[in-house]
Each structure stands twice: as structure tokens, then as C-alpha cells.
């Protein structure tokens, strides 16, 4: 998650400490292909980044992106360094615990929002399932500009998010997660929350916003109903 905003429903207000403890078991049932999103993105960076690259993880959460990146770096014979930015203490503590157990090296942990994180240049950034928590367009702009300031020219950003899609796609998502095992009553709660609690952009609006924040046009690398992942580069 990113900079603190005046929107009362944005960012941390969506999570309680108790929900964090169940996050890892819950999120794969809500985002079809959740593991593929992380490992597919990591595989792209495995092709693009050299040994010794520094990667910024914005909204590091409970560490899924860091673990996927570490696994991929080892698989391709490289070692990367990481800056992990996460404002929720319970998520940060869980990510630390998991990364320590997995032997992920050289992580600079930043417990806070992106606007207070160091502005050292990075070779790449990942930002998964963060931006739809931010209500205002200006807040989304601040997120992207903050990432851009911390990337070297030409460095890639992998960003995934809930998108504003057609109604039939939302219904397809509900049917998909139900088929994958989410109980029907929880699927109905999910439908209600998606309608009320999140602030997605259309792919076209995201591309326009990203271009104004110093990024090249996004290229799609992940897509399931209602969710998309894009690869961009710092111009």
C-alpha cells in the first residue's frame, strides 16, 4: 500500500490484524491465478534483470512477491537485493518471518508508506493488488509518481490491480471463484465488497495515468476476470 490519503475508506482501513493472519489462506481464493501472477511476473524479471539488481516491492504485504522473486532469482542463477515497503505492522512482521525462513537475502524493510521510503534508484519495481485501495485519482497518481522517482530510466514496473470491467466479467469472476471452492455465501460478500469498497480504473484510464507519471505504455502480462497485470518501463 502507498501514501496516506484523506480518503477514509482507502488503504489500511480495509484490513484488521485478525484478517492479516488469514490473508495468505484467503487471497488465492479471491484472485484466480494469484500464484501465477507472482511467479509469472518474477519470471519476466528473471529475463530482464542482471545479477545484483535492486528491486522495489511496493505494498509488500505478507511477502508473496518477495518469495516469488527470490525463488526465480535463484532458479536463473542470480542474486537480487530488495526494498520492501509495507505500512501495516502485522503484514510487515509476517513478511519478515516468512522471508527469514526462506533465506531471502538483503532486504531493506521500510515500515511505512511509499512517500517516506528512501529514493535510492532501483532496477525494477513490483506493485501487486495495491492501487484499487486508493479512492482518488490524485492518490493513484502519487503512487505511480513515487514509484517512478525510485526507478532508474528504462527500469520495469510490474503492476497488477483490480480493473473496472464490464458487468458480465464481474459475474464471471464470482462464478470462477465459486467453482474454485469459495463458499457461495463468501462469494456474495466478495461481490458486495467489490462494488462498494474498491476503486478500480479501466485499462484505458490506467494507461493514460501511467503515461502522465513517466511510464511507457503498459503491456499486459496477466489477465483473469476483473484483474490484470501490466509491465511498464520508466521512460
Amino acid at each position: 500500500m502507498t501514501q496516506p490519503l484523506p480518503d477514509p475508506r482507502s488503504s489500511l482501513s480495509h484490513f484488521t490484524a485478525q484478517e492479516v493472519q488469514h490473508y495468505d489462506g484467503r487471497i488465492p481464493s479471491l484472485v484466480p491465478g494469484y500464484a501465477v501472477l507472482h511467479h509469472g511476473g518474477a519470471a519476466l524479471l528473471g529475463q530482464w534483470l542482471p545479477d545484483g539488481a535492486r528491486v522495489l516491492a511496493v505494498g509488500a504485504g505478507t511477502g508473496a512477491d518477495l518469495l516469488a522473486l527470490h525463488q526465480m532469482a535463484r532458479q536463473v542463477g542470480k542474486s537480487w537485493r530488495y526494498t520492501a515497503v509495507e505500512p501495516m505492522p502485522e503484514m510487515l512482521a509476517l513478511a519478515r518471518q516468512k522471508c527469514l525462513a526462506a533465506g531471502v537475502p538483503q532486504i531493506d524493510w521500510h515500515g511505512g508508506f511509499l512517500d517516506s521510503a528512501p529514493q535510492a534508484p532501483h532496477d525494477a519495481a513490483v506493485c501487486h493488488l495495491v492501487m484499487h485501495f486508493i479512492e482518488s485519482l490524485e492518490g493513484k497518481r502519487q503512487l505511480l509518481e513515487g514509484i517512478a522517482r525510485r526507478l532508474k530510466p528504462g527500469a520495469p514496473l510490474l503492476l497488477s490491480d483490480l480493473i473496472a470491467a464490464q458487468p458480465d466479467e464481474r459475474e464471471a469472476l464470482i462464478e470462477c471463484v465459486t467453482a474454485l471452492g469459495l463458499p457461495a455465501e463468501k462469494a456474495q460478500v466478495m461481490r458486495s465488497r467489490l462494488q462498494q469498497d474498491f476503486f478500480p480504473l479501466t485499462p484505458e484510464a490506467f494507461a493514460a495515468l501511467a503515461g502522465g507519471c513517466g511510464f511507457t505504455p503498459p503491456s499486459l502480462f496477466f489477465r483473469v476476470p476483473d484483474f490484470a497485470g501490466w509491465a511498464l518501463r520508466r521512460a
Side-chain angles (χ1 to χ4, degrees), residues 44-188:
L44 284 175
L45 294 186
Q47 299 300 306
W48 296 341
L49 298 184
D51 185 43
R54 177 177 283 277
V55 182
L56 173 65
V58 180
T62 60
D65 43 7
L66 295 166
L67 294 172
L69 289 165
H70 171 60
Q71 179 182 341
M72 186 56 59
R74 291 184 60 185
Q75 186 170 318
V76 297
K78 299 174 182 177
S79 179
W80 299 333
R81 300 179 62 187
Y82 306 96
T83 302
V85 178
E86 172 54 51
M88 189 163 190
E90 293 84 359
M91 281 195 168
L92 189 69
L94 189 54
R96 279 179 178 268
Q97 177 185 338
K98 290 162 61 177
C99 289
L100 179 62
V104 184
Q106 297 180 304
I107 304 176
D108 294 326
W109 298 97
H110 179 75
F113 292 93
L114 182 61
D115 61 351
S116 61
Q119 293 197 26
H122 292 75
D123 299 286
V126 296
C127 182
H128 290 306
L129 305 174
V130 170
M131 197 165 64
H132 58 260
F133 288 107
I134 302 172
E135 182 172 2
S136 70
L137 188 63
E138 179 58 29
K140 298 176 193 295
R141 185 186 311 280
Q142 290 175 16
L143 169 65
L144 290 173
E145 289 177 344
I147 295 173
R149 285 194 297 271
R150 292 163 175 84
L151 287 178
K152 298 176 182 178
L157 163 64
L158 301 182
L159 185 147
S160 62
D161 206 39
L162 181 71
I163 60 173
Q166 299 299 317
D168 58 348
E169 188 164 334
R170 174 63 49 80
E171 291 307 308
L173 172 65
I174 299 302
E175 295 297 337
C176 180
V177 298
T178 302
L180 292 172
L182 189 70
E185 62 274 14
K186 292 187 177 180
Q188 293 308 312

